[in-house]
Each structure stands twice: as structure tokens, then as C-alpha cells.
Amino acid sequence: MKPAPFDYVAPTSVEEALEHLARGAGDANVLAGGQTLVPLLALRMATPSLLIDVNRIPELAGVSRVTGATRIGAATRQKAVLKDPTVAAQVPALTKALSFVGHPQTRARGTLGGSIALGEPAAESPATALALGAVVEARSTRGAREIQVEDFYLGPYTTTLEPDELIAAVRFPDWPASTVTVVHEVSRRPGDFALVGLVCALALDGGRVSRAGVGWFGMGPQPMRSRRAEQALVGLSASAADLAEIADMAVSETEPLDDAQADASYRRKVGGRIFQRLVGEALGVRRAA
Amino acid sequence: MNSPEMPPGMAARFVGQRVPRKEDARLLTGRGAYVDDIVLPGMLHAAFVRSQIARGRIRSIDLEAARSAPGVRAIYTAADLAKFDLQLHLMHGVVGPIVRPLADGRVAHVGEAIAIVIADDRYLAEDAANLVFVDCDAETPVVTMDQAADGPTVHSNLESNVAGGIQSPDDPELPAIFARAAHVVEGVIVHQRQAHSPMEGRGVVASRQGEGEMTIHLACQSPHMAALYFTQLFGERTDVHFRVLSKDVGGAFGLKVQPWREECAIIAAALLLGRPVKWIEDRLENLTSACQAREQRCKVRMAFDADARWLAAEVDFETNVGAFPNNPDIGALAMMMFPGPYRVAKVGFKTRAYYSNTVGQAAYRGPWMMESLARETMLDKAARQIGIDPIELRRRNLITAADQPHTLPTGLAVDRVTPRECLELLLEKLDLPAFRAEQAKARAEGRHLGLGVAVYVEPTTMHGFGGPLVSDSAHVRVEPSGKVSLVISTHSQGHGTQTTMAQVVADELGVPIADVAVLEDDSSRGGFGPGAGGSRQAVSGGGAAIRASKLLSQKIKRLAGHLLNANPQDITIADGLVRVAGVEEVTTTIKRIAQTAYYEPARLPPDAELGLEAQYRYQPPGTFVFSNAAHACVCELDAETGVVKILRWIASEDCGVMINPAIVEGQIAGGVAQAIGGVLMEQISYDAYGNPTAATFKDYLLPTAHDIPQLEYCHLVTPSASEGGFKGVGEGGAIIGPPTVVNAVADALSAFGAECLDLPLTPAKLLKLIDGA
Amino acid sequence: MSRHQVELTVNGGTITAEVEARRTLADFLRIDAGLTGVHIGCEHGVCGACTVIVDGDPVRSCLMLAVQAHGATVTTAEGLAAADGTLHPVQQAMREEYGLQCGFCTPGVVMTLAALTADGARPSEAELHEAVSGHLCRCTGYQGIQRVATRLARAPQGEGA
């Protein structure tokens, strides 16, 4: 399983990378961690003429704080994000999500930006970004723009990123310090893509939910978000919560597929159950007998 | 190396000890020699062009673009190989389709090799292979057993898609037994298709050594069997002497027993081209073109009396052997073994194997395992239906020492087995009452534990039916250096024979184990033997090693007696030192004896043969050597998700005298891991067009360290009648493992009134049953 | 198709070569550097047999291009043991625990554990068990591999296993 031939460049600045991308005319791939792209190259399912390696661009990697948000360079290794104390403090859902991603050997190379750009429907990072209301900073030779993650995913492995655009960073706006988070996945083996995965962030204000973010992975042709369920969660307190109905609502906003691992009805059922149980636990709801 | 319990001053004894493996230092430091590590001057690399459709006629093959691709040295199709008129035969088994190395006019499965592209490296070969355009008229394939039974024939020279089958003679008593039985239990057990998936795929380097010789480096299970195969295959038309080399092999499990189409095509290519050609199967090829396994369906009826004594069974067995099986299993041994270690009086059976437009079947670790899977799962089902504990049901029906020798109703005679004893030992270790209490407590908390138990006997070391499996050969010698060389027809793909055979020889001769080199990697050295397959090497190879070593020991002692002026019977050899019993000051070494034997003929007894060499070809007594075990598994079934986790596993086994308990346990654990994978997660399947749906490890799920607990063991030792008292154990975990898991899941599922005998037991399948209940 | 000059340190020695862009690090190490102890089991990053240490991290060398390793420090199983042949503590532990049978997955497992316990690092038992879950083995049922992971996690600081 050897890749087809391609040209390769390893620019050392974002500008240089953007120039290559612009000239690549849609037949270039960005090589970040390679954990997804290289297998596609090996299977000859991807046959770009040009590979633009972004691993030698210092400004593309690193975690920093900007006003009201945590900014993670697209080429930051998943391993680094997982261990980063700022992320742990400010975006704990992302830290939890990354603990499910692959294995140490893949996290040593895989990048957050690569994962966000791919938009694997059963992957943890895109769904987490979606649930938390993250923002993609995209750049091209034509300029820079910001894309809300909720507008970013169009379909299976399809994003609004233009062929000449590069993700420079992903920004995670702050949630209140009181926020509790749930990240859970059901998979066949640890490190596998999820059969069903849930990311839920609940900001609490005086014991009531003031803001909710509900994202799913493995529950549709792209990362999914349950907006109506989010609205239904707002205002809930632990004592008043009837999560069965909200769980149904949340699942109804997903579009799970049948595949070799599980069918859609399995995913809906399990999705509803883990939502009810784990969101309930996060809220401190006592389960009805 | 010595057991810490050995009294000081006593000679080292290796058989029975957990001796560290001699292979390990080499393999741990990356210095193994697998087939892809072989590099020869002028070597070229091959890639195959493979069929994209499951069935059809080849209209044309356009090679023009490929031929002019960079680095391409040759491209061959069936027409180029026709001069050799290669018709691949089966080492074991039925007459079937004509099998050529490459597709000839028609294709019969997706992935079938159509052309070989040979280039300067694999990258270039694949580039060129992607430029070959094959034009086919596609036809509707037969994919499943049921389609094959009624559908158009896969092979035009055959009348139907039935590859074979057997049936027991009509027995008018059987219907009567069922009619009056207090309990009749019925079930259908379906086992999915699997891929052997050794971590190293297939591979070959074929090199002409002048006109009349070919050296073949091959990932195989026996260099001798492979050399024999190529000689028989090519013999008439090429007059070439084949030498097969195979040092380290990265697992096989039956996939590498029989060289098959690609390997033979590469050899033909190398003969044509006159340069060494290497082909290394990549994982995509391995999962979609290498022979596959299992895919069986078994319908069982069992009759019991009012006391739950098993009276009779009727078994209907079907299997899908694909288009070009290299070891199609018509289920004969599975039917013969179906009664297992139970006192059932009558078993009637019928089997059918079908060809289809899918990848062909190869033997896979315990190919007859459906006998244990079907019997043990049905016994549990019977126990639930009758209302009796599955353990109690077994206790009432298992044979004991008093019943042996015991002849199964299917004709096989079983002796020296301890299934009942292993079961009792197992239950003691498990602490059954404690488990049942734990299970009840867990259920009250909404957690579902399940216990599965299974018992079986295993026909190891098959050798009594004639053919290549009859014997193994060992040649052992003391070199002039004083070191010992054993050239033997065993072959390891992880079995550890480099260590176990050295343990045997070291004990017999009385030399340090570090001084014994085991050589089994070259068909031009030593005598013919079948190598690995059928759980035989300890028995057959070990027996040959013992007998050859005994002969050599006699020579050493005779010579030593002559040189030391002592009676040979008073000579003792320990740790390489040669002594006269009772005469402490008289010693010499094996090395000095050897040098005299080779260099100083005048000092030898007049009629003595020079040198220190001996050879023995050993056939174990009887037909099979039976080993046995009882396994237990505790699982947890998550009712929220249908996911099963294996929490605990106990193997209570009797494989006779163990040469190396650590290696025995390793074999059991490896088989158990394959069983867990096979029951819970592995699946090869095809869509309606015959396209494989699991082409990478992302889809074909193998168990990981997360899925396998630390196994616990009980060992009984009932020596066999063969030399050394050894029995086979390699396949056992993969035979008894599956029903153990299925029974554990069934126990957990029983709380929901559900059952599932349709493998694999995926979370989605189980959740449907849990919620449907 | 572009070709590139690469220079990297492998097992303590410098290797300089010209490589095609598409040449994987695994193939470079096996074929160009002659380090056949790097094994290829799947070429799509699942089995872990090809794992080597790159700049301190265990990585799947089939998922890196050789050109990406320019300037890197790489260690393979051939480079772990001491010059006098003394096995690395991970190798020694694997031997004592019967962690291998056919040996094909073994170098990858060894490199993962060696990387994660280098320089006195002592990951938890859970972390090391997670790490070895990233390797496929068809022979051993992971018994010895799991025991080695446990031993390494429990070894006193500064010692091997």
C-alpha cells in the first residue's frame, strides 16, 4: 500500500504555506499529523499532486489566551493539547475528549487542526468544538476569516473551508467557571472511533442551567448539534429536570447512519440513554427508580 | 535456567521448566529474519493487478500504459505462465476446480490476481499496476451459502457448487430416540467468516540459482512441505530443484500451511525473468485476497431423557469455502468430534461445503472447532430448557477415567483424557458459589455478569491416516566444537520450538541448553516433515528429538566407556561433563569425546562409526493424541450499550507432559484471544456484489490488550502414550474459547429471556435482544 | 515527484540520503537504513508494529514520510540495547514475562514502552495499558505485554522494570 507520487513542500511560515495552497489549485493537501491523510495516501484514496507539510511552521502551534477565549494553533499536537494546563482549566471538555482520541502513539503526531479540518463524523474533537461554540480562524492569500464551527460542517468530511484556505487556529470562547461537562463515547475498543459519542457543556448559574451545548459524534454524517435540546436545558435545575424528554429531543436532532458496526436504531437508543444518564449525573439529578 | 527448586549439585533438567526462550534476545532487538528482511542482489518487486468484480469473463487486459511506466521490468498474465501448465493441487483434500496461479479468462472473486507487475521497487510496481486496465463482462455472483446452493456454478468444470460433504449412515433408531425423548433441544449456530490476520502477511522471495535450482524464501509453516509442494507443482516441466528457506515467520495460524496462487505465480515469474522477485502481501491484500476461515452454519437437535442424560444428536453442517479454497473443510473431523467427551450414544450428521464467488477457505487454528462451539452452546441451551444447571448437566454426561478407553459413536477412540477432572479443578478455582452470589448481587445493582463454561477433547497430532502428517525427523549431532546441533522438521511461527526442542535434547543428552542449536529453517537440511499444523510439534517433533538423542547418547556413552575403560552403562553425562559412576576423579567432556570421534579414528572401537551423529524418524502411536480442557469465562454485559467485557478467564487443561509451561500457556492465551475476537468483534463480509466490506484494520476489528484479561490456569498432567508423554495444545484455546464466551454471554442474556447463537455477538445485536425481551 | 535531501540521527548515527517525497519513514528505515527490525503490519496506522521513537515520542513510522524526519532523532529496536549487548529494561522485562511468540509486533511494543519510560518517566499503569492497547498482537493474547506494562508502572523510580 504505497502512496502515488506527489510533490512535497515544507514551508516555514504561514504565508509560504498559503502561497503553495493558492498555487495548488485544489489538488493540494495539507499534511499536519498525517494520522488520517497518510493512510488515505497509502490506499490511493487521496492522490494529491502536492503535499504541503505545515509541521515546520512555529506560529501554527501552541496554546494561548486571547480575550475571552483559548486559542489553539491548528498544528498543535493532540498530545500537547491533552496535557496543556490552560486547556484543562478553560476548555475541560476538550481535555476529556482528547483522552478518547486514538492512542499516545497517534496523539504524538495528530493535530487538533487536522482533526477539525477533516470533520470525521465519529471523531471527538469536531463534536466538542461544535458543542462549545468554537471558532475556526481560516487564512488564505485572499485574507483571513472566521468561521463559527456551527457553520463549518456541511456533510461527510465536507467543510466550508475553501481549497486555498488553511486553518490557522481554533478558538474556544470561555464558558463560565461553573460549567460542568460531559464527554462520553461508546466504542468497540478504546481509541476507536465512536459508535455513539456525546459532548455536553452546562453552564450553571445559581443551580440552574444558564447555557447548554450539546454535540454528538457517530450520530450522523457529520458532527451533530442538538439546538432544541440545548434550549430545553436552559433554565433547568437538578430537582426539576425531566431528562427523558430532553434526551429524546436531543436524539431526534441527530441523523445516525447504518454501518457495519451498528445501525441507526442502536445509535438513537444508546445516545438517548447516555444523554439521560450522564447529563443527569452532571446536573446531580437523582435517577427515578 | 535451572528451576530454583533443584537441589544443588543435581544436573539441569529442562523439560517441565519455564525456561526463557532462546529466540527472544534476537527478536527483541529487531534481529529477526522474516521474509521481507531478505534482500538479494538484483532483486525486483512485485505487485498484483486484482479483479474488481466478483464474477465474470475477462475480455481484455491492456498493459500498454503499465509497460512503459518507470521502473517496470516485466508484466505477466496467465498466458505468460501457460508454458508451466501449473495446476495447483491441495496438500490435504478434495478434488475441486482447476486452480491456476493467475486468473485465466474468468474471475471468480474480488481480489483474484490477474497480472503480476514486476518493477524496481514496490512503489513503482503499484504505480504500474494501477495503469493496467482489465475489461470484464460482469456476471451476478453467488456470495452466500444459500445462493451457492441453488445458483450458477462458480467453476465451469464442476457440476455444482457443492465442494464436498459427508453423511452418516442411515440409522432408523435415531428418529425413535427423538420421538420418545423427554427433552428435545434445537438450535442453529452461525459462525461468521474470519481472516486469520497474522501480523505478518504472506510473502515470498524467489531466486534462480543457476539453471536448475530455485531458492525460495517463504513465510510458511514448513519449509519441507513447501519444497515438496513446489517440486510437485513445477516438477514435470521445469526439472528444477527447490530449496525453501524460512527462518522467522510472523504468525500463521493455518494461513501459511499451503503455498497458494500468488506465491506460485511469483516463482513462475522468477523462473521466466531470471532475477530474484519479491512479493510481500500488504494488509489490504491480506484482508481481501488471502484465504479466509470459518463461515459455517450448524443446525443441531439433541435428545435428552428425563434425567438430562444426553441420548443422541442430529447435526447439519454447512460451510462456504469460497472460489479457490486451499484447504476446504467439508466438516468431517467436526462431525467425528461432535460427541466430545460425553457419553452420548448416537450422532447422525450431514455436511455440505459450497463454492462461492468469494475468497477461498484455508484452515484456521482448530478448523473443526464448530464441534465444540455447537455442542457446548447447545448443552447450555438444553440445560436452560430442561431447567438444570449447565454444570450439573455436564457432570451427568461427561466421561470419566472409568469410561476409558472410550469410543465415540462416530468411531474415534479416546483415552488418557481428564475432562471431568479438569472441570472440577476449574470450578474449584472459580469458586462457583461465590460467583453466583456475586452475580446475584450485581443483578440487583443492574449489572449483568455471565458465566460460561465449556469442556472438550482435542484430537492433536493427527498422524494415523497416512500422508505427510505421519512422522517427523530429527538429526542430532555433537559438533567437533562440543556444541550440539539439532536439525529437525518442526517449524516455528511463534511456537518456540527453538527453545522446546532444545529443552528436550538438552535433557536427553545431559548438556547445557545454551549449547543446543535448533535448526529448522531450510528444506535442504534434515529430513521431511510437516512442520506446524494440527497441534503436533511437541509430540511428533519432541518424540523424534528424544529418540534421536537417545541414539546419540548411546554412541557417546559407548565411546566414552571405551576411552575411559568403563562400562557404557556406568557413564553419566550432566552439564556436558562425562563421568564414570562411582569413580569421581575420572571425567572428560562431551567436547573431547566429539573431537576424538571425528579426528582420531584409531582410538575408536573397531566397528564404531566415526563422528557423533544420530537420526530418527518418529511416528507417534495410535491415530490421534487427545488432550482436553475445561474453560470458564466471566463476562459483563452492559445492558445500556450491549457491549461485552471479558472480566475473568480460567483454563483448566491437560496436555500431558509440558515441555515448557510458559510456552503452553502462551499458546492457550493466544487461542483464547482469537476466540474472544471471533465471538465479539471480527467479521469478514461481502455485499450483494461480492465486494469485501472489511478491507483494513479499521473495519476488521482485532482484540487488543484492553479486551483480554490475564488468564488463570490449572494444569493436570496425564502423559500420552507417545515418547516423552507430550500432547498437543496449540489450537485448543481457539476451539474451546468460542463456546466459553458464547455461554458466558448467554448466561448474562438469560436474565432477559434472550439468546444469540449468531456470531459475532456485536453490541447492536445484543442490545436488540436485550430490549426486545 | 519531488526528491529531498534528508539527514537524521538513527540509533545514534547520522544517515544522509535522498528520498522521494512519498517514501514512508518505515520504508526508509527498513530499506535505506537497513533496519529491518522496524516491521510493517498494516501501513494504515492501526497495528503499531512499525512504532519507532522520533524525538522522544513513540510514533507509527508508516504514517510519517521520511522527509518529515529530516533533522530528527530516531531510535529503533536495534538501537535500544547497550553496546555490550545488555538488553534495555523493557526488552529484558519482555523476555522475563514471555511477552512475545512470533516477534513480529514486538519491536513496536518495545519502542512504545521504551519511549514512555525514558529518562525516568513513570506513567501510571492505566497510561501504559492504554499505550499497549495501541498495538495488535495475534499470538500472545497480550499476557506478557500487559504484565510488562504493569511492572514498568510499578518499578521504583530510576529503575527499569
Side-chain angles (χ1 to χ4, degrees):
Chain A
M1 286 159 61
K2 309 300 181 191
F6 49 78
D7 287 334
Y8 166 95
V9 293
T12 51
S13 73
V14 173
E15 287 72 29
E16 220 186 310
L18 297 179
E19 287 293 332
H20 286 297
L21 210 43
R23 271 186 268 119
D27 195 20
N29 278 138
V30 170
L31 173 63
Q35 303 302 286
T36 303
L37 181 59
V38 178
L40 292 175
L41 295 172
L43 287 164
R44 301 195 180 213
M45 289 168 66
T47 51
S49 314
L50 175 67
L51 225 54
I52 305 166
D53 185 335
V54 295
N55 291 288
R56 297 189 192 265
I57 304 175
E59 66 183 285
L60 272 187
V63 178
S64 60
R65 288 286 302 163
V66 296
T67 313
T70 303
R71 186 177 184 275
I72 304 178
T76 312
R77 304 282 177 211
Q78 290 163 344
K79 172 188 172 186
V81 179
L82 179 58
K83 288 188 154 66
D84 190 278
T86 305
V87 174
Q90 302 294 339
V91 203
L94 187 60
T95 309
K96 286 183 190 175
L98 282 170
S99 72
F100 286 104
V101 171
H103 296 96
Q105 301 89 331
T106 62
R107 295 194 295 262
R109 295 290 301 170
T111 65
L112 180 70
S115 182
I116 297 295
L118 175 68
E120 159 65 59
E124 297 80 353
S125 303
T128 305
L130 187 60
L132 299 181
V135 178
V136 170
E137 295 177 14
R139 288 182 59 182
S140 70
T141 51
R142 298 175 287 111
R145 68 178 176 126
E146 304 209 329
I147 312 166
Q148 299 290 322
V149 171
E150 68 180 66
D151 300 323
F152 189 63
Y153 294 111
L154 297 175
Y157 311 101
T158 312
T159 70
T160 58
L161 210 61
E162 297 290 343
D164 67 342
E165 277 182 316
L166 179 70
I167 299 184
V170 184
R171 218 165 61 231
F172 291 84
D174 294 340
W175 282 58
S178 63
T179 304
V180 295
T181 59
V182 171
V183 180
H184 185 72
E185 77 175 58
V186 177
S187 61
R188 301 297 297 276
R189 306 167 305 181
D192 284 350
F193 288 133
L195 298 179
V196 180
L198 170 67
V199 182
C200 182
L202 301 168
L204 299 171
D205 186 2
R208 291 184 176 277
V209 177
S210 58
R211 181 183 171 196
V214 178
W216 299 92
F217 46 110
M219 290 291 276
Q222 65 206 63
M224 307 298 292
R225 188 167 162 199
S226 298
R227 287 182 184 73
R228 285 188 295 120
E230 288 172 359
Q231 287 158 18
L233 284 166
V234 170
L236 276 190
S237 70
S239 56
D242 175 5
L243 287 172
E245 212 176 290
I246 300 181
D248 282 346
M249 189 187 298
V251 168
S252 75
E253 298 183 80
T254 64
E255 298 163 20
L257 305 167
D258 295 338
D259 65 24
Q261 305 299 340
D263 59 17
S265 69
Y266 174 87
R267 294 180 147 108
R268 277 191 210 99
K269 183 168 298 179
V270 175
R273 286 175 180 173
I274 64 177
F275 183 99
Q276 187 173 352
R277 178 167 63 82
L278 294 169
V279 175
E281 278 170 22
L283 280 177
V285 173
R286 283 213 204 309
R287 248 184 129 78
Chain B
M1 304 293 177
N2 294 354
S3 160
E5 291 87 35
M6 295 303 294
M10 191 164 168
R13 276 278 162 262
F14 301 106
V15 172
Q17 302 300 321
R18 293 173 187 266
V19 170
R21 297 197 338 159
K22 289 163 70 81
E23 298 87 329
D24 285 1
R26 184 164 61 79
L27 296 175
L28 283 164
T29 53
R31 292 188 168 87
Y34 303 85
V35 65
D36 194 19
D37 302 339
I38 302 298
V39 178
L40 299 179
M43 186 175 76
L44 298 171
H45 299 258
F48 284 95
V49 177
R50 297 184 179 277
S51 175
Q52 303 293 305
I53 61 168
R55 183 188 176 111
R57 187 178 70 85
I58 300 174
R59 286 169 47 161
S60 65
I61 305 174
D62 182 353
L63 302 174
E64 199 181 317
R67 281 205 199 284
S68 52
V72 172
R73 301 294 173 174
I75 305 183
Y76 297 126
T77 62
D80 299 298
L81 305 191
K83 60 183 265 197
F84 297 112
D85 190 22
L86 300 173
Q87 297 187 41
L88 278 69
H89 57 285
L90 302 185
M91 286 173 165
H92 313 284
V94 301
V95 174
I98 297 170
V99 185
R100 305 279 185 192
L102 295 174
D104 190 6
R106 289 187 60 81
V107 293
H109 67 87
V110 171
E112 185 174 357
I114 296 173
I116 314 170
V117 175
I118 299 174
D120 292 341
D121 70 35
R122 177 65 181 237
Y123 289 73
L124 296 171
E126 287 190 18
D127 292 343
N130 274 284
L131 294 174
V132 174
F133 299 102
V134 181
D135 186 18
C136 284
D137 283 332
E139 298 164 17
T140 308
V142 292
V143 178
T144 66
M145 279 190 263
D146 295 327
Q147 287 171 348
D150 299 322
T153 55
V154 171
H155 297 295
S156 53
N157 69 314
L158 301 177
E159 281 181 14
S160 78
N161 288 324
V162 177
I166 56 170
Q167 191 163 347
S168 56
D170 220 19
D171 183 349
E173 284 185 32
L174 261 181
I177 293 173
F178 275 91
R180 63 170 186 263
H183 304 280
V184 173
V185 185
E186 302 185 337
V188 180
I189 300 94
V190 177
H191 196 304
Q192 80 282 25
R193 184 180 281 236
Q194 283 185 264
H196 306 61
S197 220
M199 295 323 299
E200 180 207 36
R202 295 178 293 161
V204 60
V205 179
S207 173
R208 279 183 87 149
Q209 311 292 302
E211 277 309 302
E213 289 191 16
M214 286 288 281
T215 299
I216 313 291
H217 296 262
L218 183 69
C220 65
Q221 297 189 217
S222 165
H224 291 280
M225 288 281 266
L228 172 67
Y229 189 82
F230 297 137
T231 303
Q232 290 170 331
L233 178 66
F234 284 87
E236 302 284 307
R237 275 169 191 73
T238 57
D239 197 24
V240 167
H241 176 81
F242 286 94
R243 179 184 181 199
V244 176
L245 301 174
S246 178
K247 181 147 176 112
D248 292 307
V249 180
F253 317 112
L255 180 62
K256 301 169 183 172
V257 165
Q258 156 104 48
W260 206 222
R261 305 174 76 192
E262 288 95 334
E263 300 93 303
C264 297
I266 295 295
I267 293 171
L271 277 168
L272 289 173
L273 197 49
R275 283 179 68 170
V277 179
K278 169 186 272 192
W279 171 65
I280 301 300
E281 178 179 65
D282 66 31
R283 188 56 59 184
L284 181 65
E285 294 178 287
N286 179 257
L287 290 176
T288 59
S289 311
C291 285
Q292 295 168 346
R294 307 288 194 240
E295 194 173 344
Q296 298 159 350
R297 181 170 61 206
C298 197
K299 297 177 189 152
V300 179
R301 298 179 76 220
M302 288 178 162
F304 295 82
D305 70 12
D307 293 322
R309 299 208 196 274
W310 182 17
L311 303 171
E314 286 181 327
V315 186
D316 185 288
F317 171 98
E318 295 171 289
T319 183
N320 185 344
V321 298
F324 297 104
N326 76 20
N327 209 327
D329 185 358
I330 59 170
L333 187 53
M335 296 303 99
M336 288 167 72
M337 289 302 304
F338 187 85
Y342 296 92
R343 278 190 222 101
V344 58
K346 286 182 178 294
V347 174
F349 54 82
K350 180 178 174 187
T351 75
R352 262 104 60 235
Y354 299 103
Y355 294 113
S356 68
N357 290 117
T358 61
V359 167
Q361 186 181 70
Y364 176 47
R365 203 166 195 171
W368 62 91
M369 56 74 83
M370 181 54 92
E371 52 87 19
S372 279
L373 177 61
R375 180 190 65 248
E376 294 298 306
T377 56
M378 285 297 296
L379 286 175
D380 266 32
K381 185 177 159 96
R384 282 188 293 273
Q385 183 174 313
I386 295 171
I388 174 181
D389 186 296
I391 310 264
E392 178 57 26
L393 178 69
R394 286 176 172 81
R395 281 181 170 138
R396 291 188 194 175
N397 289 283
L398 277 170
I399 61 173
T400 62
D403 295 305
Q404 297 176 45
H406 169 72
T407 302
L408 305 185
T410 49
L412 292 178
V414 170
D415 196 8
R416 300 178 185 237
V417 294
T418 54
R420 181 69 197 267
E421 294 80 352
C422 278
L423 175 63
E424 298 306 332
L425 209 55
L426 175 77
L427 296 170
E428 208 178 289
K429 193 164 183 69
L430 171 70
D431 192 351
L432 186 56
F435 170 75
R436 289 294 180 207
E438 187 194 347
Q439 184 180 39
K441 180 163 172 288
R443 260 179 210 170
E445 294 165 4
R447 291 174 50 230
H448 301 274
L449 302 182
L451 169 69
V453 170
V455 183
Y456 85 129
V457 287
E458 184 181 345
T460 80
T461 324
M462 169 157 45
H463 55 274
F465 297 114
L469 302 179
V470 165
S471 66
D472 274 282
S473 167
H475 161 104
V476 63
R477 60 181 184 255
V478 184
E479 311 276 8
S481 64
K483 304 290 190 212
V484 177
S485 298
L486 171 72
V487 186
I488 187 167
S489 55
T490 54
H491 190 60
S492 173
Q493 306 91 55
H495 303 71
T497 43
Q498 192 181 341
T499 303
T500 52
M501 296 300 115
Q503 288 176 254
V504 166
V505 169
D507 268 6
E508 282 301 323
L509 294 183
V511 300
I513 193 172
D515 286 355
V516 180
V518 176
L519 306 162
E520 51 174 35
D521 59 334
D522 186 342
S523 67
S524 71
R525 276 194 281 199
F528 173 82
S535 303
R536 56 177 297 101
Q537 299 195 95
V539 179
S540 193
I546 290 175
R547 294 256 173 113
S549 299
K550 279 186 173 11
L551 289 175
L552 183 58
S553 187
Q554 282 168 26
K555 281 193 185 178
I556 297 170
K557 289 179 177 177
R558 180 169 179 234
L559 185 49
H562 181 78
L563 296 172
L564 298 174
N565 205 24
N567 189 323
Q569 283 158 329
D570 294 332
I571 299 291
T572 67
I573 312 171
D575 292 324
L577 294 175
V578 182
R579 289 195 164 91
V580 180
V583 189
E584 286 308 309
E585 61 275 15
V586 178
T587 69
T588 182
T589 62
I590 292 260
K591 178 176 174 179
R592 286 220 281 275
I593 305 275
Q595 287 178 337
T596 304
Y598 286 102
Y599 300 158
E600 300 177 271
R603 295 185 63 202
L604 305 184
D607 59 339
E609 191 186 10
L610 272 71
L612 284 183
E613 301 159 288
Q615 181 163 306
Y616 197 92
R617 175 168 294 281
Y618 179 67
Q619 179 193 9
T623 311
F624 290 103
V625 174
F626 281 95
S627 63
N628 65 272
H631 283 221
C633 153
V634 174
C635 77
E636 178 160 355
L637 170 61
D638 185 332
E640 182 182 81
T641 62
V643 173
V644 171
K645 183 149 174 70
I646 309 294
L647 300 178
R648 188 177 181 196
W649 195 289
I650 308 173
S652 174
E653 65 85 41
D654 187 344
C655 63
V657 174
M658 291 182 281
I659 300 174
N660 188 323
I663 288 182
V664 165
E665 290 171 2
Q667 289 296 304
I668 295 171
V672 166
Q674 287 177 309
I676 291 170
V679 173
L680 296 180
M681 58 185 77
E682 295 178 40
Q683 180 149 32
I684 291 288
S685 55
Y686 293 84
D687 68 16
Y689 301 98
N691 293 308
T693 58
T696 69
F697 280 152
K698 296 268 189 208
D699 303 307
Y700 192 75
L701 302 181
L702 292 183
T704 68
H706 171 79
D707 302 298
I708 319 292
Q710 284 285 304
L711 269 61
E712 302 162 60
Y713 301 92
C714 309
H715 295 295
L716 286 180
V717 177
T718 306
S720 68
S722 50
E723 191 66 63
F726 315 130
K727 297 178 180 178
V729 77
E731 289 165 291
I735 300 171
I736 191 64
T740 307
V741 181
V742 176
N743 282 349
V745 174
D747 186 36
L749 271 179
S750 65
F752 303 97
E755 76 165 19
C756 189
L757 295 174
D758 180 15
L759 274 49
L761 303 181
T762 61
K765 225 179 251 184
L766 294 178
L767 197 64
K768 260 202 183 57
L769 290 171
I770 290 169
D771 291 340
Chain C
M1 159 152 57
S2 54
R3 300 185 66 86
H4 306 267
Q5 279 292 115
V6 296
E7 183 175 298
L8 49 153
T9 305
V10 184
N11 294 337
T14 307
I15 298 187
T16 313
E18 191 195 76
V19 296
E20 272 188 350
R22 60 174 170 166
R23 195 163 196 66
T24 63
L25 179 60
D27 281 337
F28 176 81
L29 292 170
R30 284 186 54 76
I31 301 169
D32 305 315
L35 294 165
T36 56
V38 178
H39 294 159
I40 292 180
C42 76
E43 290 184 301
H44 50 280
V46 178
C47 80
C50 68
T51 304
V52 299
I53 305 178
V54 177
D55 293 334
D57 283 318
V59 301
R60 300 182 184 321
S61 63
C62 73
L63 297 188
M64 270 185 82
L65 304 175
V67 63
Q68 291 187 290
H70 174 61
T73 300
V74 177
T75 312
T76 74
E78 290 98 326
L80 269 193
D84 67 356
T86 308
L87 294 179
H88 184 280
V90 169
Q91 291 166 326
Q92 182 61 30
M94 285 283 281
R95 182 154 201 246
E96 289 166 13
E97 297 295 345
Y98 299 92
L100 59 151
Q101 288 179 28
C102 82
F104 201 77
C105 76
T106 306
V109 173
V110 167
M111 299 320 287
T112 283
L113 291 172
L116 295 177
T117 56
D119 303 318
R122 226 16 119 238
S124 68
E125 219 170 298
E127 285 172 315
L128 289 178
H129 280 266
E130 191 215 343
V132 297
S133 288
H135 288 273
L136 294 179
C137 171
R138 203 48 162 164
C139 291
T140 68
Y142 307 100
Q143 304 291 288
I145 292 170
Q146 289 169 343
R147 289 193 295 267
V148 170
T150 301
R151 271 175 65 162
L152 290 171
R154 293 182 187 170
Q157 203 77 12
E159 280 182 31

